[in-house]
Amino acid sequence: MDEYDEMYGIEDDFESQFADELEVLAEIDTDSRPLPKKSERRTRVPTSFEEALASGDSVLRTQPASLPVSAFTVLSFLHFPAPKAKRQRQDVVKKLKFDSADDGKEITPPSSPEEYPSEIRSQNSHGDSRTPAVTPGALDISGLEVLQASPQRAVRAAQHILHRPPPVGDFISVTGSSGDRVYLAKREDEDASDGLAFRRSQYSLGLLSVPIEVLKEQVAERRHQQLVEESQRLTKMLNSQVDQEFGEMDSEEPAEGKGAQDEGGKDAASRLWVDKYSPAHYTELLSDDFTNRCLLKWLKLWDMVVFGREKSTQKPRPTHTDSRTQDQQTSRFKTKTQMTEEILEAELDQYHRPKYKVALLSGPPGLGKTTLAHVIARHAGYNVVEMNASDDRSAELFQKRIDTATQMKSVLGANERPNCLVIDEIDGAPSAAINVLLAIMNRKETRDTEPVAGGGISSALKKKKKESILMRPIICICNDLYVPALRQLRQQAFLLSFPLTQPSRLVQRLVEISRCQGMRVDTGALMALCEKTENDIRSCINTLQFLHGRGQRQLDQRTVQSVQVGLKDQNKGLFSIWQEIFQLPRTKRKRVGDDLFAVVPDGGLGSAGAQRLQHILHLATSCGEHEKLTNGLYDNFLSMKLKDSSLQAVCMALDWLAFSDLLGEAVMHNQNFSLLRYLPFLPGAFHLLFAATSVPRINYPNSHYEAVTRMQQTRNALVAMLAEVPPSIRSRVGPRSLSLEVLSLLLEVVCPKLRPVNPQLYSTREKQQLVELIDTMMCYNLTYRQDRTPEGQYRYLLEPNVEDAVRFPGVPPRRQLTYQAKQMIARELELEKMRRAEAVLLARNPLPTKADPKSREKRLPMENHRQRLETILKQNVVESKVGAAGWRVTPSAAEGEKTMTAEQLMGKAVGNSDVWFRFNEGVSNAVRRNVYIKDLL
Amino acid sequence: MSLWVDKYRPTSLGKLDYHKEQANQLKNLVQCGDFPHLLVYGPSGAGKKTRIMCLLRELYGPGVEKLRIEHQSITAPSKKKIEINTIASNYHLEVNPSDAGTGDRVVVQELIKTVAQSQQIQSSTQREFKVVLLTEVDQLTKDAQHALRRTMEKYMATCRLILCCNSTSKVIAPIRSRCLAVRVPLPSVEEVRTVLTNVCRKEGLSLPGELAKQIADKSGRNLRKALLMCEACRVQQYPFSADQDISETDWEVYLRETANAIVSQQSPQRLLEVRGRLYELLTHCIPAEIIIKGLVSELLSNCDGHLKAEVAQMAAHYEHRLQLGSKAIYHLEAFVAKFMAVYKKFMEDGLDGMMF
């Protein structure tokens, strides 16, 4: 009552005063209508309101309704049911408009165009609730609608556009983007429905999953219902007050009835139908028969261990041959069914346990996996112990619980059955816990070896292990079989994947349930429900109960489609999403869509399109990986078979991409995450633009990633190059100007034409050029580095490798230096670097090494091997005597004086031995390298 | 120092080859003592940096040419360390804050603060202020630019800023109004020619006049590019011949080929090829706005009169969005697709017009 007061304040009196009359009127109405069910009293009333409203509207128009209260009083005196009057209250705008339309004096006409849409909308809702069918004659384009229309439409409706203000009547001035101003004469729309019709034709591709008219209708209905309930409550209260006043005649009976009703209601509300109608017996299972049978068979394999020898010790009899092993089918290629059968026929191990100790059921949610496990375990005579994600599943607790479940037995209570452990939702368990399970499964092996090595010290520990062999069946249940944590378990478990439930069976069950609950359903609606939930039993039943709980006693397809419950928020793989985006759906899906939008007769393309759009939006929203999704779309859409000669669709798609990029930027930069909700529309747009019937070939998008990596490589090369550049050059060249202007030409500059001869033989001009080249390369931190190709050839590469940073494929290749030239340059660079380093060192501490420079200067020229040889030659001139035994070298000198340094050794060797080689005699100098005498000796 | 660009760079205001009047004005500016903040802007290769260095030399003497590279690490308030290289002499500090990416605000504030808070030791013989030279100011984020506003005023006593950028359009108005703007335009073709000839003479080479003009044309009056081209020509072939081919930068050739590919065929397949080429350009660190600019100038030469306006408008539209967004390839490709659509329609209409 308090709530009611707050909400409705002033009308309260009225309600209480006329509640009796309302009641009577409502009853009259109900009598006049043939209604099938006694429980339908609530919904009956609103429909009658609609009729009354339709008839009473003309009266309403004449009423000066500036104050709602006065309107209601008048109405109520006109003997219209009050709830209907309250229904009017929500359309205050409309009433105001009626006034302005009729006399136009009491209320100033709306001056801004913004008011008009709302007005039209309110009229729409009004018109729609009354007359769902649209009269074709009403399709008149009035000046008002031009406001809503696209520019083309404005042109078509040119007779309403004036270039100067109209002399009479209201007008709206509109300034175009080009700056010219036009005036639109305002005219009241004659028919409320033409706005609606226009809207339908314009926005046939609705973004709402349910047309706005339907939504409004629902809202209106709900309000009706609330009002009815309120009025009923009021009546009841009034009655009770009356009762109190006039003695306590029948006070007890209604109270009792009400109590009973409440109890019943509470009971119904507190119990989920899923539980209430869950199958109790094997025969009631909805899931696939084969699956059921397989699991049952597997469970029966345990009978030997569990039931066969309950009183004996844990040790099994080794001499037991089971007749289970039947001759197998010897076909070469086994179907999956046969494979499964085979597993079930397989021999038991030495403890008479089946080969697979654990059954692993997998499948999407809501197919009845848990139910199946429970029912079958019970059926096979076990006591079910369940563990699921709601339990703590750390490794220790897991171990403890498994041990207790598999080794203990309930002693209290009547059912002294062995336990069967059902581990539900195992894919969410940590891998440590799953490893524990695996360890328990494999304990047999450890035990096998132990009796042999059974020593005295660790016997206690081993005894403990001995006891804990797994002797009870474990059934694990998961949704995703391919969770990394399950990898080990997957190999050692009896895998049983759940197929989808048969829709026919599911529908049959749903019919039964709804019949039990007194809900009127038709098979088509239930089929639609099944399809929507993808044959998820739980979701279907929950949806039914939800609808039932909201007071709907009747189910039709539209309700099913419009309700947002039951939609699964499950992830699909990216590839399947891309596929769905680029592929038109099969006709099956379309059927449902048509049913949904059957209320919109002139939907045209809209009906199927809107359904598809909704579907894609849902997919994209639930996917969540927009970045990847977008990349995939971008990489693949041009490879689709486009029938788009004018490239319009491609342009549109790219505009969408650009838009989503801006959106993403806004989201990330301004952290305005509310904009994220617009991202899924990109896949929707792509679907509408590019979906084709053929199966698309989707490639995984890696272009973006590749581009980023390569850009990073280039940038790193540039930065590495710049890092060592001297500051005077560094200040002039940034990475940007380097890549844009300098580098390409610089690489040209460092590739001069060099004569393929020894640099010693260069002319002064050439030497000068070489020096400059070396200098330039040093300045820009470039060197050549020897590299070995996979084919085993050597080549010199620039270091850092900026060659790749500026060269493009397809552009005619630049002149390259020869290998020899590069080798020579590399060598000269090294020398120059050493020289400079030395110079720097000298400059830094010239005093202590005062004596050094001279010796160094002496030594420096000696670095050249030719000069060294010459000095050696000068020191000991020995003629070479290469005789027949020229390669036989006297080893005495080298072996005798191992401790000597190489230099000494060499000098000695040259002096002592009578072997002497002279280079450069009649030999081409193309290949030259240092050969030490000591290597030859 | 052996690239001609580096070797023959003028080091004092008096030696500058062109815009001599401006050089004189700068000299006067230094001499009158009241040195303001400067905003030097102009296209790449016009000699902004050269002019700034000459100016600094005029201010402080040859000491500014003793440069050293300093690696500074600055800790942002978010405890993020930003490494940045600065080039400094005893009198000035040069930073490219855009190297720091999004952390440029902190860099700007910290560096200027440290420079400005240390007084010059011998203020009697030297200027009482140091100079902070910020390059690529147009790449600064808006945050950093706003941070600069106050800093500029606060440390006016000890520190002057010289901002260097290509275009002032991305520099916020408050900063522009705090600076004396100095525009360094590109040299004219004739000036480029003179510079090239002078350099060649110093090298002891004789450069034919026609070749010099060709180089100047081809380089787009970008002096740095012109000198590099000239040197590349020298490496390629000497003695010069007037009709020798001048090597261009690879990306320009590639971009031109891309534009030709767009014009020659308009289809989704071709668009896919173009996408590959655009990616190629982007991965070679060619900025997206330069790509779109190059494309437009190439494409426009293939367009008819009134199509030109449309294409230019389109390009402006997509470039604007490019600036707003972050994934350049989408916008570039959107522009290409749009051009293809428009161009195709135009060609088909033209064909129809011819047939009937």
Side-chain angles (χ1 to χ4, degrees):
Chain A
M1 195 65 197
D2 288 342
E3 259 180 52
Y4 187 76
D5 274 342
E6 276 170 28
M7 281 168 70
Y8 297 116
I10 189 162
E11 282 91 24
D12 191 23
D13 292 348
F14 159 69
E15 283 290 347
S16 47
Q17 277 172 17
F18 295 96
D20 278 349
E21 279 165 309
L22 295 183
E23 192 66 19
V24 173
L25 273 169
E27 270 170 20
I28 290 167
D29 261 347
T30 38
D31 289 343
S32 67
R33 281 173 65 92
L35 276 162
K37 274 207 164 185
K38 53 190 185 299
S39 65
E40 293 278 338
R41 196 167 163 224
R42 287 176 175 184
T43 44
R44 229 183 304 143
V45 186
T47 42
S48 65
F49 287 164
E50 294 300 321
E51 288 163 9
L53 184 64
S55 58
D57 206 45
S58 57
V59 184
L60 192 74
R61 278 173 193 249
T62 57
Q63 297 305 320
S66 56
L67 274 173
V69 186
S70 67
F72 290 131
T73 7
V74 171
L75 272 170
S76 61
F77 280 122
L78 283 166
H79 293 285
F80 279 99
K84 171 198 64 195
K86 294 193 81 178
R87 150 93 179 84
Q88 288 306 110
R89 205 157 33 83
Q90 68 186 322
D91 291 341
V92 175
V93 182
K94 183 189 71 184
K95 276 184 269 168
L96 290 180
K97 196 231 139 210
F98 285 154
D99 289 335
S100 71
D102 286 344
D103 34 38
K105 277 155 194 150
E106 291 185 11
I107 296 160
T108 51
S111 57
S112 66
E114 282 81 19
E115 285 182 34
Y116 278 82
S118 70
E119 191 175 300
I120 289 164
R121 238 182 290 128
S122 71
Q123 280 197 345
N124 284 350
S125 76
H126 181 67
D128 187 49
S129 61
R130 261 188 309 157
T131 52
V134 179
T135 49
L139 270 165
D140 177 30
I141 300 157
S142 72
L144 280 175
E145 282 144 22
V146 174
L147 283 175
Q148 286 186 321
S150 57
Q152 285 92 335
R153 253 170 188 271
V155 171
R156 232 190 293 161
Q159 66 268 30
H160 300 293
I161 296 175
L162 306 169
H163 289 283
R164 58 188 67 138
V168 285
D170 293 330
F171 63 89
I172 299 167
S173 63
V174 176
T175 312
S177 59
S178 52
D180 39 21
R181 168 167 294 205
V182 291
Y183 301 91
L184 304 175
K186 275 206 270 186
R187 202 207 294 169
E188 302 302 337
D189 47 349
E190 297 85 3
D191 199 316
S193 62
D194 61 356
L196 169 68
F198 164 68
R199 219 187 56 74
R200 277 184 182 161
S201 60
Q202 192 69 14
Y203 301 109
S204 51
L205 197 67
L207 293 180
L208 294 169
S209 58
V210 184
I212 184 73
E213 293 81 16
V214 180
L215 278 181
K216 286 194 165 170
E217 207 172 316
Q218 284 172 356
V219 169
E221 246 171 60
R222 208 157 60 206
R223 276 191 200 189
H224 284 188
Q225 208 163 319
Q226 271 181 0
L227 289 174
V228 173
E229 279 171 17
E230 285 301 329
S231 66
Q232 279 175 347
R233 219 179 65 191
L234 276 173
T235 324
K236 213 173 277 171
M237 223 149 81
L238 278 176
N239 280 343
S240 65
Q241 280 174 357
V242 169
D243 288 344
Q244 277 175 2
E245 281 174 30
F246 292 97
E248 300 170 331
M249 297 186 283
D250 304 325
S251 63
E252 273 178 32
E253 196 186 279
E256 219 174 61
K258 199 183 163 196
Q261 210 176 9
D262 274 357
E263 211 172 64
K266 206 177 272 175
D267 188 36
S270 62
R271 260 197 95 182
L272 280 178
W273 288 6
V274 181
D275 298 334
K276 200 169 164 188
Y277 295 102
S278 71
H281 299 289
Y282 182 76
T283 45
E284 286 176 10
L285 286 169
L286 271 183
S287 46
D288 183 49
D289 280 335
F290 175 72
T291 319
N292 302 350
R293 221 169 42 238
C294 282
L295 189 66
L296 188 59
K297 258 186 175 173
W298 177 81
L299 209 56
K300 287 282 184 195
L301 289 183
W302 285 88
D303 281 1
M304 187 69 57
V305 180
V306 180
F307 297 109
R309 294 171 296 99
E310 273 182 343
K311 274 149 198 156
S312 69
T313 50
Q314 291 278 338
K315 203 165 184 331
R317 284 164 294 178
T319 56
H320 182 84
T321 46
D322 198 2
S323 58
R324 268 173 216 278
T325 48
Q326 293 162 1
D327 52 338
Q328 294 164 0
Q329 288 165 319
T330 48
S331 65
R332 257 188 97 171
F333 301 105
K334 293 161 191 159
T335 59
K336 204 180 165 193
T337 330
Q338 283 171 346
M339 297 266 281
T340 321
E341 298 268 12
E342 214 165 274
I343 288 170
L344 290 173
E345 302 297 336
E347 238 176 300
L348 305 179
D349 67 358
Q350 60 180 112
Y351 306 111
H352 303 283
R353 302 184 298 180
K355 190 179 163 211
Y356 293 100
K357 317 290 182 295
V358 170
L360 183 57
L361 302 184
S362 63
L367 296 189
K369 295 183 295 296
T370 314
T371 314
L372 173 70
H374 279 254
V375 167
I376 282 189
R378 237 177 294 139
H379 186 77
Y382 287 93
N383 177 35
V384 182
V385 178
E386 193 186 325
M387 289 171 68
N388 54 30
S390 60
D391 302 314
D392 190 7
R393 295 201 282 196
S394 65
E396 303 86 54
L397 274 171
F398 207 69
Q399 167 120 39
K400 209 166 136 194
R401 292 200 55 144
I402 292 179
D403 282 345
T404 38
T406 51
Q407 289 167 22
M408 300 189 187
K409 194 178 155 184
S410 71
V411 278
L412 297 172
N415 55 339
E416 292 183 5
R417 292 163 147 198
N419 285 334
C420 169
L421 183 60
V422 175
I423 306 177
D424 209 347
E425 294 146 24
I426 198 172
D427 44 354
S431 50
I434 291 174
N435 286 339
V436 166
L437 176 65
L438 282 169
I440 291 174
M441 280 166 63
N442 294 329
R443 260 182 204 166
K444 180 199 71 178
E445 279 87 26
T446 58
R447 199 204 173 237
D448 276 347
T449 56
E450 265 159 24
V452 186
I457 311 158
S458 57
S459 63
L461 197 134
K462 272 165 192 167
K463 206 175 274 170
K464 206 175 173 186
K465 269 190 182 170
K466 261 183 225 167
E467 291 167 359
S468 57
I469 312 166
L470 182 64
M471 283 300 178
R472 295 285 178 268
I474 297 180
I475 303 175
C476 299
I477 300 172
C478 66
N479 289 133
D480 186 1
L481 192 55
Y482 298 99
V483 167
L486 286 182
R487 200 174 291 147
Q488 287 279 318
L489 186 64
R490 212 157 58 215
Q491 290 161 3
Q492 304 191 22
F494 171 56
L495 298 182
L496 205 53
S497 71
F498 247 65
L500 285 182
T501 323
Q502 296 255 313
S504 53
R505 295 180 71 174
L506 178 54
V507 165
Q508 198 188 343
R509 175 64 55 89
L510 290 177
V511 168
E512 282 169 24
I513 290 174
S514 46
R515 203 169 48 225
C516 285
Q517 290 293 335
M519 238 176 130
R520 283 190 310 156
V521 290
D522 64 83
T523 325
L526 288 179
M527 284 299 273
L529 183 64
C530 292
E531 190 173 328
K532 190 175 177 188
T533 57
E534 293 166 35
N535 297 332
D536 180 340
I537 305 170
R538 174 167 42 212
S539 176
C540 281
I541 298 178
N542 280 343
T543 312
L544 272 187
Q545 187 177 9
F546 177 68
L547 293 176
H548 183 265
R550 283 208 312 191
Q552 290 197 3
R553 293 288 180 269
Q554 195 166 1
L555 188 73
D556 54 359
Q557 293 201 357
R558 217 175 72 202
T559 346
V560 169
Q561 291 297 339
S562 60
V563 185
Q564 279 298 325
V565 290
L567 258 190
K568 281 212 204 178
D569 196 22
Q570 69 174 8
N571 270 350
K572 284 201 174 179
L574 277 171
F575 272 95
S576 61
I577 293 179
W578 287 323
Q579 187 133 356
E580 292 220 23
I581 289 172
F582 282 122
Q583 196 174 11
L584 282 173
R586 279 156 282 134
T587 43
K588 184 169 152 262
R589 197 172 286 287
K590 258 183 199 162
R591 186 177 53 80
V592 182
D594 285 345
D595 290 341
L596 165 58
F597 285 88
V599 278
V600 186
D602 51 354
L605 159 131
S607 57
Q611 168 74 9
R612 272 160 51 200
L613 179 68
Q614 286 304 326
H615 178 63
I616 297 293
L617 283 184
H618 176 68
L619 270 185
T621 318
S622 60
C623 166
E625 289 178 277
H626 291 300
E627 185 75 25
K628 246 183 209 159
L629 200 60
T630 312
N631 281 341
L633 294 178
Y634 174 64
D635 272 21
N636 284 305
F637 84 94
L638 283 181
S639 336
M640 297 297 124
K641 291 191 186 70
L642 300 176
K643 295 180 197 68
D644 185 24
S645 61
S646 64
L647 288 165
Q648 287 304 323
V650 175
C651 285
M652 196 108 86
L654 282 163
D655 278 347
W656 266 101
L657 279 169
F659 169 70
S660 76
D661 175 37
L662 297 191
L663 209 58
E665 184 70 12
V667 169
M668 298 319 285
H669 195 256
N670 306 330
Q671 322 224 306
N672 188 357
F673 294 105
S674 61
L675 292 176
L676 276 178
R677 78 179 78 144
Y678 299 107
L679 285 176
F681 284 92
L682 173 79
F686 268 71
H687 177 71
L688 293 180
L689 286 172
F690 298 118
T693 42
S694 58
V695 180
R697 290 170 54 103
I698 308 281
N699 295 318
Y700 191 79
N702 42 17
S703 68
H704 183 72
Y705 174 73
E706 264 173 29
V708 169
T709 341
R710 279 175 55 205
M711 177 132 63
Q712 202 55 45
Q713 275 175 6
T714 314
R715 200 168 286 155
N716 286 344
L718 293 180
V719 168
M721 179 181 166
L722 282 176
E724 298 291 319
V725 164
S728 54
I729 295 177
R730 176 73 184 81
S731 82
R732 308 305 168 94
V733 181
R736 190 182 162 120
S737 65
L738 199 63
S739 62
L740 278 183
E741 297 160 4
V742 177
L743 204 48
S744 180
L745 295 165
L746 175 68
L747 292 186
E748 195 113 334
V749 170
V750 297
C751 292
K753 281 176 188 148
L754 294 170
R755 273 201 300 156
V757 294
N758 192 322
Q760 309 288 336
L761 303 176
Y762 279 170
S763 64
T764 46
R765 179 145 201 117
E766 281 170 329
K767 272 184 186 161
Q768 174 66 21
Q769 203 179 352
L770 185 63
V771 167
E772 277 180 12
L773 168 70
I774 300 296
D775 203 26
T776 309
M777 285 187 72
M778 297 271 299
C779 276
Y780 284 91
N781 188 29
L782 295 173
T783 49
Y784 286 109
R785 180 173 52 85
Q786 202 177 29
D787 189 39
R788 207 183 138 128
T789 56
E791 292 87 50
Q793 288 183 322
Y794 286 99
R795 59 180 176 177
Y796 275 95
L797 287 179
L798 269 182
E799 170 80 20
N801 199 350
V802 283
E803 191 96 13
D804 292 341
V806 283
R807 296 284 180 249
F808 284 87
V811 172
R814 300 300 175 109
R815 194 162 45 77
Q816 285 280 352
L817 288 174
T818 56
Y819 179 81
Q820 279 78 18
K822 282 182 180 173
Q823 191 180 23
M824 190 262 291
I825 291 172
R827 189 168 156 278
E828 294 290 327
L829 272 171
E830 286 306 311
L831 283 179
E832 181 67 24
K833 264 184 197 165
M834 272 160 58
R835 240 170 265 151
R836 288 196 186 183
E838 219 151 87
V840 167
L841 208 68
L842 280 183
R844 201 170 286 166
N845 43 1
L847 278 178
T849 54
K850 189 129 194 183
D852 278 3
K854 275 177 193 168
S855 63
R856 204 167 268 145
E857 268 167 48
K858 261 189 210 160
R859 220 181 292 151
L860 262 181
M862 276 165 62
E863 271 179 316
N864 196 324
H865 67 279
R866 247 162 53 124
Q867 289 178 353
R868 186 184 298 156
L869 267 180
E870 274 167 10
T871 48
I872 294 170
L873 261 180
K874 265 178 222 159
Q875 281 163 7
N876 21 2
V877 184
V878 182
E879 281 297 307
S880 82
K881 299 172 191 169
V882 185
W887 290 109
R888 226 186 60 85
V889 176
T890 49
S892 62
E895 279 180 5
E897 295 144 325
K898 271 177 185 165
T899 51
M900 286 179 141
T901 61
E903 203 82 351
Q904 283 170 323
L905 190 73
M906 192 170 66
K908 269 262 169 64
V910 168
N912 291 347
S913 74
D914 47 5
V915 184
W916 178 247
F917 294 93
R918 281 184 71 173
F919 302 115
N920 303 340
E921 215 168 34
V923 186
S924 131
N925 59 358
V927 179
R928 303 186 59 201
R929 60 197 187 95
N930 288 337
V931 179
Y932 290 105
I933 295 298
K934 66 178 163 94
D935 296 334
L936 293 171
L937 291 177
Chain B
M1 281 298 152
S2 68
L3 277 187
W4 294 353
V5 194
D6 304 319
K7 209 150 89 181
Y8 300 108
R9 182 173 284 142
T11 50
S12 71
L13 283 174
K15 285 186 198 157
L16 287 175
D17 291 295
Y18 49 90
H19 307 325
K20 290 192 173 164
E21 197 180 336
Q22 192 189 49
N24 274 331
Q25 284 168 347
L26 288 177
K27 202 180 240 173
N28 292 337
L29 188 72
V30 171
Q31 273 157 6
C32 76
D34 185 19
F35 191 74
H37 296 304
L38 287 188
L39 172 64
V40 182
Y41 65 100
S44 175
K48 299 180 293 294
K49 215 47 149 331
T50 309
R51 216 153 279 251
I52 293 169
M53 289 314 282
C54 293
L55 186 71
L56 288 178
R57 191 188 154 98
E58 191 74 30
L59 274 172
Y60 297 109
V64 278
E65 278 159 23
K66 280 185 191 142
L67 297 171
R68 57 184 185 272
I69 292 183
E70 290 173 351
H71 302 273
Q72 304 216 6
S73 81
I74 294 158
T75 316
S78 59
K79 301 279 182 265
K80 188 186 161 198
K81 284 219 166 178
I82 302 166
E83 300 279 336
I84 196 158
N85 288 343
T86 61
I87 300 161
S89 73
N90 288 334
Y91 309 98
H92 85 288
L93 177 80
E94 180 184 336
V95 190
N96 186 351
S98 57
D99 285 353
T102 48
D104 51 0
R105 182 181 61 86
V106 191
V107 170
V108 163
Q109 284 178 324
E110 289 298 317
L111 281 183
I112 294 179
K113 239 177 248 174
T114 42
V115 169
Q117 282 168 352
S118 60
Q119 296 273 340
Q120 292 283 51
I121 300 167
Q122 291 173 294
S123 56
S124 55
T125 55
Q126 287 165 338
R127 308 266 166 187
E128 63 271 28
F129 56 85
K130 281 190 178 183
V131 169
V132 175
L133 171 54
L134 297 181
T135 53
E136 295 186 21
V137 181
D138 42 2
Q139 311 275 328
L140 279 183
T141 59
K142 289 278 175 291
D143 276 353
Q145 295 197 24
H146 284 292
L148 210 53
R149 291 167 62 169
R150 187 79 190 101
T151 324
M152 277 169 103
E153 284 175 350
K154 199 170 171 189
Y155 300 108
M156 186 72 183
T158 53
C159 175
R160 295 287 186 280
L161 289 183
I162 298 182
L163 310 178
C164 184
C165 60
N166 283 338
S167 156
T168 51
S169 63
K170 281 194 200 166
V171 181
I172 57 171
I175 288 187
R176 269 183 282 167
S177 83
R178 281 168 172 76
C179 296
L180 175 70
V182 179
R183 176 160 187 269
V184 184
L186 282 175
S188 68
V189 173
E190 196 48 46
E191 282 162 342
V192 175
R193 248 179 78 182
T194 333
V195 172
L196 288 181
T197 323
N198 286 343
V199 166
C200 281
R201 199 168 55 239
K202 281 180 201 160
E203 277 285 310
L205 310 170
S206 70
L207 181 69
E210 301 90 75
L211 187 63
K213 186 166 183 319
Q214 269 181 27
I215 292 175
D217 280 337
K218 211 149 194 180
S219 65
R221 288 149 67 206
N222 180 334
L223 193 60
R224 170 168 36 213
K225 217 164 160 182
L227 278 166
L228 278 164
M229 278 176 167
C230 188
E231 194 171 354
C233 284
R234 154 79 185 83
V235 165
Q236 219 171 55
Q237 178 187 354
Y238 187 79
F240 292 119
S241 70
D243 54 349
Q244 125 179 55
D245 53 325
I246 302 155
S247 51
E248 288 173 275
T249 47
D250 275 7
W251 68 268
E252 282 173 308
V253 180
Y254 196 74
L255 191 61
R256 195 155 53 229
E257 281 173 10
T258 311
N260 289 338
I262 294 170
V263 172
S264 64
Q265 191 195 331
Q266 294 86 31
S267 67
Q269 283 70 36
R270 181 51 65 90
L271 189 61
L272 202 58
E273 287 167 32
V274 170
R275 176 194 295 178
R277 298 181 75 96
L278 290 177
Y279 259 136
E280 196 70 41
L281 282 164
L282 284 174
T283 51
H284 282 76
C285 285
I286 309 295
E289 54 266 26
I290 293 204
I291 296 176
I292 206 167
K293 191 177 158 195
L295 271 184
V296 172
S297 56
E298 292 292 337
L299 291 176
L300 277 183
S301 60
N302 282 305
C303 288
D304 218 19
H306 63 275
L307 202 58
K308 272 186 176 146
E310 197 179 340
V311 170
Q313 197 206 355
M314 262 159 44
H317 172 72
Y318 284 104
E319 204 212 322
H320 174 65
R321 297 227 300 227
L322 180 80
Q323 304 291 345
L324 296 177
S326 57
K327 282 204 188 116
I329 187 79
Y330 290 167
H331 305 280
L332 289 177
E333 195 175 320
F335 168 65
V336 172
K338 189 84 185 161
F339 175 82
M340 278 184 169
V342 169
Y343 189 75
K344 192 166 192 185
K345 186 163 180 298
F346 177 76
M347 293 306 277
E348 276 165 4
D349 287 354
L351 218 60
D352 288 349
M354 292 225 291
M355 283 169 80
F356 303 111

